Amino acid sequence: MSDKIQAIRGMHDILPDQTPRWQGVERAFREVLASYGYQEIRLPIVEKTELFKRSIGEVTDIVEKEMYTFDDRNGDSLTLRPEGTAGCLRACLEHGLLHQPSLRLWYMGPMFRHERPQKGRYRQFQQMGVEAYGMAGADIDAELILLSKRLWKTLSIDHKLELQINSLGTVEERLVYREKLVEYFRVHFDALDEDSKRRLETNPLRILDTKNQQMSDVVKGAPALNECLGEASLSHFQQLTRTLDEAGVSYTINPRLVRGLDYYSRTVFEWVTTELGAQGTVCAGGRYDGLIAQLGGKASHAIGFALGVERLIDLLDDPARFDEAISPHAYLIRVGSEAERIGGLLAEQLRDALPQLRLIVHCDGGSFKSQFKRADKSGAAYALILGDNEVQNLNIGVKNLRKESEQITLEHYQLIPYLQSLIQI
RNA sequence: GUGACCGUAGUUCAGUUGGUAGAGCACAGGAUUGUGAUUCCUGUUGUCGUGGGUUCGAGCCCCAUCGGUCACCCCA
């Protein structure tokens, strides 16, 4: 065991017994996104390190200690992407996609962060992300939230997720607030715990989100963010809440909801659950209007969210329900060299005629008994049987492996319509 | 980066005060010379994570190291 090469810590293989649920979730995501007119974009997994430093923020944990960064052979510093927004925006700027008035995109793929793994958190993890560019109004904010909610409904996990929203104001408003907050906490410095003293330098807004009960009094006395919001930011947020109310989406306004990444402004939201241990956030996002100009583009508007697929899958009530969609319809048993020859040809004819058919052909010989065992284990609904008798009589046996019923014998020409009717059911 | 708990067969786990390694599942074969899933019988499976120490003797005790899980920090 010790001399075998193992996977990297926090980077997991998704084995065949897991892939159906992954495919199921991915399919649901694709279908929901298509129903809102979003287009897929596929992006590199590696980008220049500078991109993430400039977008995520130099002093965030992600940039400071969680990135997989290495030097390319020509000396460039490259980084395995820790999130998707920066790369997506880079691609759109690079190809001039933002010259159109609005753009709705989605992507999915692996992200990398060098953290200690724990439940629902891995060093390589899968994110599905959505980005919408060029739209200033709160209606697109609401669209993203409604879209995400539709995804939970499609996956039947909407009862496990709660929506939290907040407004961070514009970057300028938030800077003013940040000053006020730092000033306040400096006065109450002795009441802060070690983590919070450190956060005072790095991300003071995070102090509001502390889990330390002993600090609740200090936190309660702190100035509130919404006092620093301007007219425009306030009405933007009001429009969002009104739209959500009218759409029947319930939510909690969490004034302490601050996102970890520097680029957010105005609307931020999270879908959280209590069922995943310490990692409660399944999906999070927000508006990041300032980022486009920050990355060298013409000032515009942007909003997006990302969701962690591993966390989403952990939330599924009955993940096994996705297995059925890929289990084979039929398993072809063939005993004897003539049966193997005829069976191989027959199988290809069946696949020609029935592209939807999922058919496994038994290979490598073996007795009827052992082939039936494999047929059962494959999950196939039916066994197709070719032995000496069938070869001699030019017919084929069909047996239902999941229901108690008599095995029947069909002529070859009857097989295609018979299987077709089974698939349709 | 910090802390707690855990590493025994392909897998899930048992293993007594330290006495020389076991069960279920899985897998293979048979009971059934052409029939799975159920039942019965038989069989295979191990550097006890790794390295060192204590001991007549270590799966068990000690140290180190690697890996896993969960939590903190932080985040999807």
Side-chain angles (χ1 to χ4, degrees), chain A residues 332-402:
Chain A
L332 175 59
I333 286 167
R334 37 181 204 164
V335 179
S337 57
E338 194 56 14
E340 285 178 9
R341 195 181 65 81
I342 293 172
L345 296 172
L346 178 64
E348 287 304 308
Q349 288 169 13
L350 292 176
R351 294 183 180 116
D352 284 341
L354 304 168
Q356 303 289 86
L357 178 69
R358 296 188 296 271
L359 169 67
I360 294 180
V361 175
H362 182 92
C363 290
D364 236 23
S367 62
F368 276 93
K369 185 186 178 69
S370 64
Q371 295 201 29
F372 264 97
K373 276 190 173 178
R374 299 264 193 103
D376 181 48
K377 209 161 303 166
S378 76
Y382 289 84
L384 307 181
I385 303 143
L386 276 182
D388 289 343
N389 293 345
E390 288 80 4
V391 167
Q392 219 159 40
N393 301 325
L394 293 173
N395 56 22
I396 187 163
V398 178
K399 179 173 181 177
N400 190 329
L401 295 172
R402 306 299 148 197

Side-chain angles (χ1 to χ4, degrees), chain A residues 69-85:
Chain A
T69 297
F70 58 95
D71 285 339
D72 196 4
R73 286 172 191 274
N74 64 10
D76 288 342
S77 180
L78 305 183
T79 294
L80 263 44
R81 61 183 185 191
E83 53 99 54
T85 295

